[in-house]
Protein backbone atom coordinates (compact mmCIF):
# COMPACT_ATOMS: atom_id res chain seq x y z
CA UNK A 1 0.00 0.00 0.00
CA UNK A 2 1.63 3.16 -1.22
CA UNK A 3 1.13 6.38 0.72
CA UNK A 4 1.60 9.92 -0.54
CA UNK A 5 1.97 13.29 1.05
CA UNK A 6 -1.26 15.23 0.68
CA UNK A 7 0.30 18.11 -1.22
CA UNK A 8 2.09 15.74 -3.62
CA UNK A 9 -1.16 13.87 -4.26
CA UNK A 10 -3.29 16.99 -4.73
CA UNK A 11 -1.44 20.36 -4.88
CA UNK A 12 -4.72 22.32 -4.61
CA UNK A 13 -6.09 20.26 -1.72
CA UNK A 14 -7.10 23.37 0.25
CA UNK A 15 -9.93 24.01 -2.23
CA UNK A 16 -11.58 20.80 -1.01
CA UNK A 17 -11.60 22.14 2.55
CA UNK A 18 -13.01 25.59 1.82
CA UNK A 19 -9.55 27.13 2.11
CA UNK A 20 -8.68 25.41 5.39
CA UNK A 21 -5.24 23.90 5.81
CA UNK A 22 -4.97 20.97 8.18
CA UNK A 23 -1.21 21.29 8.20
CA UNK A 24 -0.13 23.50 11.08
CA UNK A 25 -3.11 22.72 13.32
CA UNK A 26 -2.34 22.08 16.96
CA UNK A 27 -2.84 18.54 18.28
CA UNK A 28 -4.39 18.10 21.73
CA UNK A 29 -5.34 15.13 23.87
CA UNK A 30 -9.06 14.61 24.09
CA UNK A 31 -10.38 15.16 27.57
CA UNK A 32 -7.29 16.64 29.22
CA UNK A 33 -6.87 19.28 26.48
CA UNK A 34 -3.10 18.96 26.74
CA UNK A 35 -1.18 20.03 23.68
CA UNK A 36 0.70 17.16 22.10
CA UNK A 37 2.27 18.80 19.07
CA UNK A 38 1.47 20.08 15.59
CA UNK A 39 0.28 18.47 12.35
CA UNK A 40 3.22 18.72 9.95
CA UNK A 41 1.79 16.66 7.10
CA UNK A 42 -0.93 14.24 5.97
CA UNK A 43 -0.47 10.86 4.29
CA UNK A 44 -3.12 9.59 1.85
CA UNK A 45 -3.51 6.37 -0.13
CA UNK A 46 -3.84 5.91 -3.90
CA UNK A 47 -7.50 6.99 -3.78
CA UNK A 48 -6.83 10.11 -1.72
CA UNK A 49 -8.25 8.75 1.55
CA UNK A 50 -6.66 10.18 4.69
CA UNK A 51 -4.69 7.45 6.47
CA UNK A 52 -2.26 9.20 8.84
CA UNK A 53 -1.55 12.60 10.30
CA UNK A 54 2.15 13.25 10.73
CA UNK A 55 2.42 14.83 14.20
CA UNK A 56 5.47 16.73 15.39
CA UNK A 57 5.62 15.95 19.13
CA UNK A 58 7.53 19.11 19.94
CA UNK A 59 5.49 19.69 23.07
CA UNK A 60 5.95 16.15 24.40
CA UNK A 61 9.10 14.77 22.81
CA UNK A 62 11.37 17.32 21.16
CA UNK A 63 12.32 16.56 17.56
CA UNK A 64 10.18 13.43 17.16
CA UNK A 65 7.53 12.94 14.52
CA UNK A 66 5.04 10.10 14.67
CA UNK A 67 2.04 8.85 12.72
CA UNK A 68 -1.49 9.29 14.05
CA UNK A 69 -4.09 7.11 12.26
CA UNK A 70 -6.95 9.24 11.03
CA UNK A 71 -9.43 7.13 12.99
CA UNK A 72 -7.74 8.26 16.19
CA UNK A 73 -8.12 11.95 15.33
CA UNK A 74 -10.97 14.43 15.50
CA UNK A 75 -10.52 17.58 13.45
CA UNK A 76 -12.32 20.70 14.64
CA UNK A 77 -11.94 23.45 12.06
CA UNK A 78 -14.05 25.82 14.15
CA UNK A 79 -11.21 26.21 16.64
CA UNK A 80 -8.36 24.98 14.39
CA UNK A 81 -7.52 21.97 16.53
CA UNK A 82 -6.99 18.26 16.16
CA UNK A 83 -7.89 16.03 19.12
CA UNK A 84 -6.28 12.64 19.58
CA UNK A 85 -8.49 9.78 20.70
CA UNK A 86 -6.79 7.64 23.34
CA UNK A 87 -3.19 8.69 22.66
CA UNK A 88 -1.05 8.78 25.80
CA UNK A 89 2.46 10.05 26.37
CA UNK A 90 3.61 6.46 26.91
CA UNK A 91 2.20 5.44 23.53
CA UNK A 92 3.89 8.43 21.91
CA UNK A 93 7.21 7.30 23.35
CA UNK A 94 6.66 3.76 22.04
CA UNK A 95 5.71 4.89 18.53
CA UNK A 96 8.44 4.48 15.92
CA UNK A 97 9.81 7.80 14.74
CA UNK A 98 8.59 8.91 11.33
CA UNK A 99 11.33 9.72 8.84
CA UNK A 100 10.07 10.89 5.45
CA UNK A 101 13.35 9.76 3.88
CA UNK A 102 12.54 6.16 4.70
CA UNK A 103 10.01 4.03 2.87
CA UNK A 104 6.79 3.24 4.74
CA UNK A 105 6.38 -0.50 4.41
CA UNK A 106 4.00 -2.97 5.99
CA UNK A 107 6.40 -3.77 8.83
CA UNK A 108 6.77 -0.13 9.80
CA UNK A 109 2.99 0.42 9.75
CA UNK A 110 2.50 -2.73 11.83
CA UNK A 111 4.80 -1.26 14.47
CA UNK A 112 2.66 1.88 14.44
CA UNK A 113 -0.61 -0.07 14.55
CA UNK A 114 0.69 -2.27 17.34
CA UNK A 115 1.02 0.72 19.63
CA UNK A 116 -2.53 1.94 18.96
CA UNK A 117 -4.28 -1.43 18.94
CA UNK A 118 -6.30 -2.31 21.98
CA UNK A 119 -8.40 -5.48 22.24
CA UNK A 120 -11.44 -3.43 23.25
CA UNK A 121 -11.32 -1.67 19.91
CA UNK A 122 -12.47 -4.85 18.16
CA UNK A 123 -15.03 -6.34 20.51
CA UNK A 124 -17.91 -4.17 19.28
CA UNK A 125 -16.97 -3.87 15.60
CA UNK A 126 -19.08 -5.34 12.81
CA UNK A 127 -17.86 -8.74 11.67
CA UNK A 128 -16.99 -7.45 8.20
CA UNK A 129 -14.76 -4.76 9.71
CA UNK A 130 -12.00 -7.24 10.61
CA UNK A 131 -10.60 -10.50 9.33
CA UNK A 132 -8.89 -11.97 12.37
CA UNK A 133 -6.51 -14.87 12.02
CA UNK A 134 -6.12 -15.31 15.76
CA UNK A 135 -6.71 -19.01 16.58
CA UNK A 136 -8.42 -17.92 19.81
CA UNK A 137 -11.14 -16.14 17.85
CA UNK A 138 -14.57 -17.70 18.12
CA UNK A 139 -17.59 -17.87 15.86
CA UNK A 140 -20.69 -15.77 15.96
CA UNK A 141 -24.17 -17.41 15.66
CA UNK A 142 -23.78 -17.33 11.86
CA UNK A 143 -20.47 -19.17 12.02
CA UNK A 144 -18.35 -16.13 11.14
CA UNK A 145 -15.02 -15.69 12.99
CA UNK A 146 -14.94 -12.80 15.47
CA UNK A 147 -12.26 -11.50 17.79
CA UNK A 148 -12.25 -13.06 21.24
CA UNK A 149 -12.65 -10.85 24.27
CA UNK A 150 -9.30 -9.51 25.40
CA UNK A 151 -7.43 -10.55 22.22
CA UNK A 152 -5.93 -8.47 19.44
CA UNK A 153 -6.43 -9.85 15.94
CA UNK A 154 -3.55 -10.30 13.56
CA UNK A 155 -3.66 -9.96 9.80
CA UNK A 156 -1.98 -11.45 6.76
CA UNK A 157 0.60 -9.24 5.08
CA UNK A 158 -0.68 -9.87 1.55
CA UNK A 159 -4.38 -9.40 2.26
CA UNK A 160 -4.34 -6.51 4.75
CA UNK A 161 -6.34 -3.40 3.88
CA UNK A 162 -7.03 -0.29 5.89
CA UNK A 163 -10.71 -1.20 5.89
CA UNK A 164 -9.82 -4.14 8.15
CA UNK A 165 -9.37 -1.76 11.07
CA UNK A 166 -11.97 1.00 11.06
CA UNK A 167 -10.99 1.75 14.67
CA UNK A 168 -7.73 3.12 13.27
CA UNK A 169 -8.62 4.31 9.79
CA UNK A 170 -12.38 4.81 9.75
CA UNK A 171 -13.88 8.23 10.26
CA UNK A 172 -15.80 8.11 13.51
CA UNK A 173 -19.30 9.32 12.65
CA UNK A 174 -19.78 10.73 16.13
CA UNK A 175 -16.60 12.80 15.90
CA UNK A 176 -16.79 13.69 12.21
CA UNK A 177 -20.44 14.49 11.58
CA UNK A 178 -20.88 17.19 8.98
CA UNK A 179 -24.16 18.63 7.80
CA UNK A 180 -23.75 20.65 4.66
CA UNK A 181 -26.22 23.39 3.85
CA UNK A 182 -26.53 24.34 0.20
CA UNK A 183 -27.89 27.39 -1.51
CA UNK A 184 -28.41 28.42 -5.07
CA UNK A 185 -26.84 31.53 -6.51
CA UNK A 186 -27.33 33.33 -9.77
CA UNK A 187 -24.19 33.19 -11.84
CA UNK A 188 -24.01 35.86 -14.52
CA UNK A 189 -22.10 35.20 -17.68
CA UNK A 190 -22.08 36.74 -21.10
CA UNK A 191 -22.36 35.05 -24.47
CA UNK A 192 -21.33 36.89 -27.62
CA UNK A 193 -23.55 36.23 -30.58
CA UNK A 194 -23.97 37.69 -34.06
CA UNK A 195 -27.06 39.85 -34.37
CA UNK A 196 -26.62 41.06 -37.92
CA UNK A 197 -24.26 42.29 -40.57
CA UNK A 198 -23.78 45.69 -42.16
CA UNK A 199 -22.48 45.74 -45.74
CA UNK A 200 -21.06 48.99 -47.03
CA UNK A 201 -20.18 49.41 -50.72
CA UNK A 202 -20.64 51.91 -53.52
CA UNK A 203 -22.40 52.13 -56.89
CA UNK A 204 -22.56 54.63 -59.75
CA UNK A 205 -25.61 56.77 -60.32
CA UNK A 206 -26.15 58.90 -63.42
CA UNK A 207 -27.76 62.30 -63.49
CA UNK A 208 -28.20 65.13 -65.96
CA UNK A 209 -26.10 68.14 -65.11
CA UNK A 210 -26.83 71.56 -66.54
CA UNK A 211 -24.35 74.34 -66.98
CA UNK A 212 -24.86 77.84 -68.46
CA UNK A 213 -22.07 79.27 -70.60
CA UNK A 214 -22.39 82.85 -71.97
CA UNK A 215 -21.38 83.04 -75.64
CA UNK A 216 -21.10 85.87 -78.14
CA UNK A 217 -22.40 85.92 -81.76
CA UNK A 218 -21.68 88.66 -84.25
CA UNK A 219 -24.31 89.95 -86.68
CA UNK A 220 -24.39 92.66 -89.33
CA UNK A 221 -26.56 95.66 -88.82
CA UNK A 222 -27.24 97.81 -91.90
CA UNK A 223 -28.38 101.32 -91.18
CA UNK A 224 -29.59 103.76 -93.80
CA UNK A 225 -29.47 107.34 -92.67
CA UNK A 226 -30.12 110.67 -94.43
CA UNK A 227 -27.06 112.90 -94.13
CA UNK A 228 -27.47 116.48 -93.08
CA UNK A 229 -26.35 117.81 -96.48
CA UNK A 230 -28.75 115.58 -98.38
CA UNK A 231 -30.08 117.37 -101.50
CA UNK A 232 -26.96 119.43 -101.95
CA UNK A 233 -25.48 119.35 -105.44
CA UNK A 234 -22.07 117.92 -105.82
CA UNK A 235 -19.53 118.28 -108.53
CA UNK A 236 -18.95 115.67 -111.19
CA UNK A 237 -15.62 114.84 -109.58
CA UNK A 238 -17.21 113.98 -106.23
CA UNK A 239 -19.91 111.86 -107.75
CA UNK A 240 -17.92 108.69 -108.22
CA UNK A 241 -20.18 106.10 -109.63
CA UNK A 242 -18.67 102.64 -109.42
CA UNK A 243 -20.41 99.49 -110.41
CA UNK A 244 -19.72 96.24 -108.55
CA UNK A 245 -18.20 97.79 -105.40
CA UNK A 246 -18.51 95.30 -102.51
CA UNK A 247 -17.85 95.71 -98.74
CA UNK A 248 -16.88 92.53 -96.88
CA UNK A 249 -17.34 92.04 -93.08
CA UNK A 250 -16.35 88.83 -91.16
CA UNK A 251 -18.93 87.50 -88.76
CA UNK A 252 -17.82 85.46 -85.66
CA UNK A 253 -19.62 83.66 -82.89
CA UNK A 254 -18.61 81.61 -79.79
CA UNK A 255 -19.61 77.97 -79.27
CA UNK A 256 -19.56 76.23 -75.85
CA UNK A 257 -16.77 73.69 -75.19
CA UNK A 258 -18.12 71.19 -72.58
CA UNK A 259 -15.96 68.41 -71.02
CA UNK A 260 -16.15 66.24 -67.86
CA UNK A 261 -13.56 66.08 -65.09
CA UNK A 262 -13.60 63.77 -62.01
CA UNK A 263 -12.67 65.11 -58.59
CA UNK A 264 -12.86 63.87 -54.94
CA UNK A 265 -16.17 64.70 -53.37
CA UNK A 266 -15.95 63.16 -49.86
CA UNK A 267 -14.49 60.32 -47.76
CA UNK A 268 -16.60 57.75 -45.91
CA UNK A 269 -14.99 56.26 -42.81
CA UNK A 270 -16.46 53.06 -41.33
CA UNK A 271 -15.83 52.01 -37.70
CA UNK A 272 -17.57 50.21 -34.84
CA UNK A 273 -18.44 51.58 -31.43
CA UNK A 274 -19.56 49.57 -28.39
CA UNK A 275 -22.57 50.74 -26.46
CA UNK A 276 -22.77 49.46 -22.88
CA UNK A 277 -26.01 48.62 -21.16
CA UNK A 278 -27.08 46.73 -18.05
CA UNK A 279 -29.62 43.95 -18.40
CA UNK A 280 -31.37 42.86 -15.24
CA UNK A 281 -33.04 39.49 -14.80
CA UNK A 282 -34.40 37.58 -11.86
CA UNK A 283 -34.83 33.92 -10.97
CA UNK A 284 -36.07 32.04 -7.94
CA UNK A 285 -33.19 30.57 -5.91
CA UNK A 286 -33.31 28.11 -3.04
CA UNK A 287 -31.35 28.04 0.20
CA UNK A 288 -31.16 25.43 2.91
CA UNK A 289 -31.45 26.58 6.51
CA UNK A 290 -30.57 24.56 9.58
CA UNK A 291 -33.39 23.22 11.74
CA UNK A 292 -32.25 22.31 15.24
CA UNK A 293 -34.59 20.34 17.49
CA UNK A 294 -32.77 19.85 20.78
CA UNK A 295 -35.68 19.68 23.14
CA UNK A 296 -34.51 21.20 26.40
CA UNK A 297 -30.82 20.47 25.77
CA UNK A 298 -28.51 23.50 25.56
CA UNK A 299 -27.05 24.04 22.10
CA UNK A 300 -24.17 26.33 21.19
CA UNK A 301 -23.78 27.47 17.60
CA UNK A 302 -20.52 28.89 16.36
Amino acid sequence: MVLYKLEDFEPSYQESFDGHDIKGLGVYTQGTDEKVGTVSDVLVDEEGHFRYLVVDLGFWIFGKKVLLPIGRARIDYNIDRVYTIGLTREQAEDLPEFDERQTLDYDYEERVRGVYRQPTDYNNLPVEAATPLDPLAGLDPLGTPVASLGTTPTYARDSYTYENEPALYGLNEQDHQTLRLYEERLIASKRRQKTGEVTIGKHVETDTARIAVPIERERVVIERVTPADAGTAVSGREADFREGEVARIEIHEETPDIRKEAFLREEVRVRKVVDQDTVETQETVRREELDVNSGNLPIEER
Side-chain angles (χ1 to χ4, degrees), residues 13-279:
Y13 68 92
Q14 294 185 30
E15 297 178 1
S16 301
F17 299 94
D18 298 328
H20 294 289
D21 193 352
I22 188 173
K23 293 194 293 185
L25 297 185
V27 181
Y28 295 80
T29 57
Q30 185 166 270
T32 61
D33 215 27
E34 179 183 4
K35 187 163 186 179
V36 174
T38 306
V39 177
S40 64
D41 219 323
V42 181
L43 300 182
V44 301
D45 61 15
E46 292 98 331
E47 297 180 355
H49 297 137
F50 279 26
R51 294 309 180 189
Y52 294 102
L53 302 182
V54 180
V55 181
D56 186 343
L57 298 176
F59 284 82
W60 268 3
I61 307 172
F62 179 76
K64 184 177 183 180
K65 293 182 179 180
V66 298
L67 296 184
L68 175 65
I70 191 63
R72 290 299 182 89
R74 180 172 66 86
I75 305 172
D76 192 338
Y77 287 112
N78 294 322
I79 56 177
D80 291 335
R81 283 189 176 188
V82 176
Y83 289 98
T84 65
I85 302 174
L87 178 66
T88 64
R89 184 189 294 268
E90 291 74 18
Q91 284 180 315
E93 293 175 350
D94 293 338
L95 283 169
E97 184 173 358
F98 172 74
D99 187 348
E100 60 183 15
R101 294 171 296 182
Q102 296 180 357
T103 303
L104 269 67
D105 54 13
Y106 177 82
D107 293 330
Y108 177 85
E109 290 191 72
E110 272 297 296
R111 291 170 56 197
V112 174
R113 288 189 284 262
V115 175
Y116 288 104
R117 282 177 181 143
Q118 297 178 7
T120 55
D121 290 337
Y122 300 89
N123 292 335
N124 297 318
L125 292 179
V127 173
E128 59 272 15
T131 311
L133 302 179
D134 192 336
L136 299 179
L139 301 176
D140 67 2
L142 299 178
T144 305
V146 295
S148 300
L149 181 62
T151 64
T152 301
T154 57
Y155 300 89
R157 175 190 297 267
D158 297 334
S159 62
Y160 181 85
T161 64
Y162 292 115
E163 285 71 20
N164 292 146
E165 296 186 272
L168 296 182
Y169 301 106
L171 294 180
N172 189 313
E173 293 185 1
Q174 180 178 354
D175 294 329
H176 298 85
Q177 289 188 26
T178 301
L179 182 62
R180 296 186 176 183
L181 303 179
Y182 296 90
E183 70 175 4
E184 294 177 329
R185 297 178 181 177
L186 292 181
I187 306 299
S189 61
K190 295 186 291 185
R191 178 168 51 89
R192 190 178 182 87
Q193 62 181 9
K194 180 178 178 180
T195 58
E197 184 178 71
V198 176
T199 301
I200 299 176
K202 63 180 183 177
H203 67 279
V204 177
E205 291 185 356
T206 60
D207 197 2
T208 301
R210 291 179 173 81
I211 185 171
V213 180
I215 60 174
E216 293 182 352
R217 293 191 182 92
E218 295 179 342
R219 59 188 176 88
V220 176
V221 177
I222 299 174
E223 294 183 1
R224 292 185 177 186
V225 297
T226 302
D229 56 351
T232 302
V234 295
S235 64
R237 292 177 300 177
E238 292 182 25
D240 185 10
F241 291 93
R242 297 178 182 178
E243 185 176 350
E245 185 177 359
V246 176
R248 297 182 181 274
I249 300 176
E250 293 184 352
I251 304 298
H252 298 87
E253 73 174 8
E254 296 176 334
T255 59
D257 184 9
I258 307 299
R259 61 188 177 87
K260 294 186 290 185
E261 183 177 310
F263 63 94
L264 180 63
R265 180 167 61 93
E266 64 177 336
E267 286 183 344
V268 178
R269 298 177 181 177
V270 181
R271 60 189 178 93
K272 294 192 298 183
V273 297
V274 177
D275 296 327
Q276 293 186 344
D277 196 2
T278 301
V279 179

